Amino acid sequence: MNLIILGAPGSGKGTQSAELINRYHLTHLSTGDMLRAEIAAGSELGLAAKAIMDKGELVSDDIVIGMIANRLNDKGALFDGFPRTIAQADALDALLAQNGRRIDAVIYLDVDNEEIVKRMLARGRADDNEATIRNRLSVFEAQTKPLVEHYRNQGKLRHIPGTGAVEAIAGRIRDALDTE
Ligand code: AP5
Ligand code: MG
């Protein structure tokens, strides 16, 4: 099985991924985590990405598509924070199709902006300051939100209300996937 977990910054993609990878034996592929690992390693890519991430903008499609292509294996995958643009979604379909695979379902965690800002200010990651959060949310609206309609049209979207207790949300995701 290949799944995408889609949602605004701070919607709980990483939190919900932890249970999903165990339950469905998936490889967790988070482009945000990969980019932060590059920053921590002090690589040239990391240095370039950091300036973009600190502003809340998107790193170029080519860079993140390349990172994903390098990590695809025979196991099913859970894509977290990727794709974020229609171009990335098309590239992912093409990469999977090379091995006769496809995306089975897209979990869309729906959380309102007020709750998101509250969560992220409480967390305090490097890109969790108010100006950057605001920009990340508008970048999501403009560039990533169109993927909701894109996957709904393919019949793959599973709309999950993303507020409430972490375990309650996990239950909603299980229910949505177990009816596959
Ligand atoms: P990325 O790392 O993907 O960050 P994000 O999408 O902004 O999302 P977060 O990781 O902040 O939130 P999350 O949805 O994982 O929620 P979490 O579980 O942590 O991307 C960072 C940057 O990298 C981007 O801005 C971009 O620059 C670049 N990038 C990454 N991928 C890219 C791509 N494909 N293309 C181009 N650029 C890319 O939860 C958030 C907080 O809320 C936590 O503190 C958590 O404990 C808490 N929380 C979770 N669930 C709940 C709950 N139910 N109730 C209360 N609190 C909760
Ligand atoms: Mg995350």
Side-chain angles (χ1 to χ4, degrees), residues 2-4 79 92-93 96 101-106 156:
N2 294 290
L3 297 177
I4 293 170
F79 299 95
L92 178 59
D93 284 344
L96 291 173
R101 292 162 55 183
R102 63 186 191 106
I103 292 298
D104 296 288
V106 179
K156 293 180 179 172

Side-chain angles (χ1 to χ4, degrees), residues 6-8 83-86 108-111 113 137-152 157 159:
L6 177 67
R84 254 177 158 93
T85 61
I86 296 283
Y108 171 45
L109 287 178
D110 192 357
V111 181
N113 286 1
L137 288 170
S138 64
V139 166
F140 173 78
E141 280 298 323
Q143 303 196 53
T144 307
K145 196 78 177 285
L147 291 175
V148 170
E149 217 36 54
H150 178 79
Y151 288 118
R152 187 180 282 131
L157 198 80
H159 179 268

